[in-house]
Amino acid sequence: MESTLGLEIIEVVEQAALASAKWMGKGEKDTADEVAVEAMRERMNNIHMRGRIVIGEGERDDAPMLYIGEEVGICTREDAKDYCNPDELIEIDIAVDPCEGTNLVAYGQNGSMAVLAISEKGGLFAAPDFYMKKLAAPPAARNHVDINKTATQNLQILADCLDRSIEELVVVVMDRSRHKDLITEIREAGARVRLISDGDVSAAISCAFAGTNIHALMGIGAAPEGVISAAAMRCMGGHFQGQLIYDPAIVKTGLIGESKESNIERLKSMGIEDPDRVYNAEELACGETVLFAACGITPGTLMNGVRFFGGGARTQSLVISSQSMTARFVDTVHMFNNPKYIQLN
Ligand code: VTB
């Protein structure tokens, strides 16, 4: 899978990032998202594959493009049998977030990226558009920290695993009122908190890389983003656990508006019998092969943002593969129209 799709998926996230970056700082988050979706879809539809969106822009009725269930790739075209051999084709499930952190792009802030994860059919958890309580930590703490433990307990475990004091740890938490008690607890335990307004995928993945000065992600973010984060963490052996949050009393904003009871019913209809189950990275991204790709839109902890220059642009992406066990940082110069020079970095 990696050898056939590796390079292609880099271009998919690059194209989305380039499109969205043109809207950086313009205050128009919907446009920054729409252009990324369109660019991602266009490039995806030129890949020799039979893909299906399992996490995307929402249900078909609300999202014109990259909606859940949409088929993408050359081999989904009506005349596909002319150029795709059905015996050779692997069916691929795809989770996309073409503009992760639309507000960050709209207001010119750090940390947004175009991102996707792919696996063979059934290899990614088709998370509902709910919230998810998340715990991400470095590989050294994998299966030692536990989302069922308190933040205080997890910080002590993390400190032991990383051989440092709690005071040296930095925990990323989304700046939301629902995290008031969590933030107080982390600070009282002695660790430092880095509050972010958006973009918890980048924060989760950053835990796997030493040198980012991010040691854990704690708190509640969106469930689809949780699956994408889990895909990367699964490939890198980092710790990731997620538990769906379906009670509107816990998260009052955004995605879950209805009653707790109706949400439980909805989960049941999706085959989720135990709504409180804790999933780990290997369960959220259980496929034999998992690939993850991201490209910075604005500058971030892991990647540079898009830098335009006369006639071109330079991007930085990250591709992680469970197949080759690699995390590749890919630096690309895009030449649009007779660039006068090529930007070196
Ligand atoms: C979360 C987070 C995302 O949006 O979904 C957030 O996981 C929305 O949270 O990374 P609220 O509804 O509480 O505002 C992001 O930050 C960006 O998509």
Side-chain angles (χ1 to χ4, degrees):
M1 187 189 285
E2 186 192 349
S3 51
T4 44
L5 293 177
L7 241 188
E8 305 256 31
I9 60 167
I10 298 172
E11 291 189 5
V12 170
V13 288
E14 282 178 353
Q15 289 308 315
L18 284 166
S20 194
K22 291 190 184 131
W23 289 88
M24 192 205 85
K26 299 255 184 191
E28 292 182 37
K29 71 184 189 107
D30 291 344
T31 315
D33 188 37
E34 272 162 37
V35 295
V37 175
E38 206 170 321
M40 186 174 263
R41 183 187 195 227
E42 197 180 314
R43 184 63 189 84
M44 242 176 209
N45 274 323
N46 281 318
I47 303 180
H48 196 92
M49 65 170 180
R50 182 172 196 95
R52 184 179 61 128
I53 303 295
V54 290
I55 285 179
E57 294 290 294
E59 307 292 330
R60 185 184 195 138
D61 294 344
D62 306 323
M65 288 186 287
L66 295 181
Y67 56 84
I68 295 160
E70 181 173 344
E71 297 208 310
V72 287
I74 289 178
C75 301
T76 62
R77 291 184 193 164
E78 277 188 0
D79 55 351
K81 61 178 180 334
D82 297 343
Y83 34 78
C84 299
N85 177 354
D87 299 332
E88 285 174 12
L89 265 188
I90 14 164
E91 288 182 87
I92 285 163
D93 278 358
I94 308 169
V96 300
D97 196 348
C99 182
E100 151 68 354
T102 49
N103 279 320
L104 300 174
V105 181
Y107 301 115
Q109 292 165 348
N110 285 8
S112 62
M113 58 195 200
V115 61
L116 61 80
I118 68 176
S119 187
E120 68 276 354
K121 197 174 178 185
L124 298 169
F125 179 67
D129 237 359
F130 283 7
Y131 283 86
M132 184 182 265
K133 184 177 169 188
K134 308 174 188 180
L135 175 63
R142 183 167 152 242
N143 297 339
H144 295 290
V145 288
D146 186 347
I147 205 165
N148 288 317
K149 294 196 163 98
T150 64
T152 312
Q153 289 170 322
N154 280 326
L155 286 166
Q156 186 58 60
I157 296 169
L158 202 50
D160 293 343
C161 292
L162 297 176
D163 197 20
R164 57 178 83 192
S165 69
I166 293 182
E167 284 69 23
E168 287 164 341
L169 299 176
V170 176
V171 182
V172 175
V173 181
M174 284 187 61
D175 193 3
R176 298 290 189 278
S177 56
R178 60 180 177 262
H179 294 143
K180 195 169 161 276
D181 293 347
L182 174 67
I183 293 166
T184 305
E185 184 181 346
I186 297 170
R187 287 177 178 155
E188 279 176 359
R192 295 168 294 154
V193 176
R194 191 157 144 188
L195 291 173
I196 56 166
S197 63
D198 274 301
D200 69 358
V201 176
S202 167
I205 299 166
S206 295
C207 297
F209 291 90
T212 56
N213 203 28
I214 294 176
H215 307 104
L217 167 77
M218 294 183 186
I220 298 169
E225 279 85 339
V227 176
I228 295 177
S229 306
M233 293 302 261
R234 137 89 201 272
C235 299
M236 294 188 290
H239 182 93
F240 189 91
Q241 284 173 298
Q243 183 179 35
L244 292 172
I245 299 291
Y246 52 86
D247 184 352
I250 298 178
V251 184
K252 297 176 184 66
T253 53
L255 306 173
I256 36 174
E258 293 168 41
S259 69
K260 183 177 166 183
E261 291 69 30
S262 66
N263 286 337
I264 292 177
E265 282 312 310
R266 206 182 132 204
L267 290 175
K268 268 200 184 130
S269 72
M270 298 176 75
I272 301 170
E273 288 298 326
D274 176 7
D276 296 315
R277 180 173 161 185
V278 172
Y279 298 88
N280 63 26
E282 292 72 26
E283 290 162 337
L284 294 171
C286 67
E288 202 179 307
T289 305
V290 175
L291 299 181
F292 167 95
C295 181
I297 302 174
T298 54
T301 310
L302 296 170
M303 288 163 284
N304 282 322
V306 175
R307 287 137 295 146
F308 291 103
F309 57 87
R314 191 150 187 148
T315 56
Q316 197 182 20
S317 306
L318 169 61
V319 191
I320 310 173
S321 163
S322 72
Q323 200 172 352
S324 61
M325 297 292 281
T326 50
R328 287 194 175 94
F329 287 91
V330 181
D331 201 348
T332 308
V333 174
H334 305 261
M335 290 164 276
F336 302 147
N337 40 23
N338 303 322
K340 293 193 179 70
Y341 55 86
I342 307 291
Q343 183 87 19
L344 182 59
N345 47 38

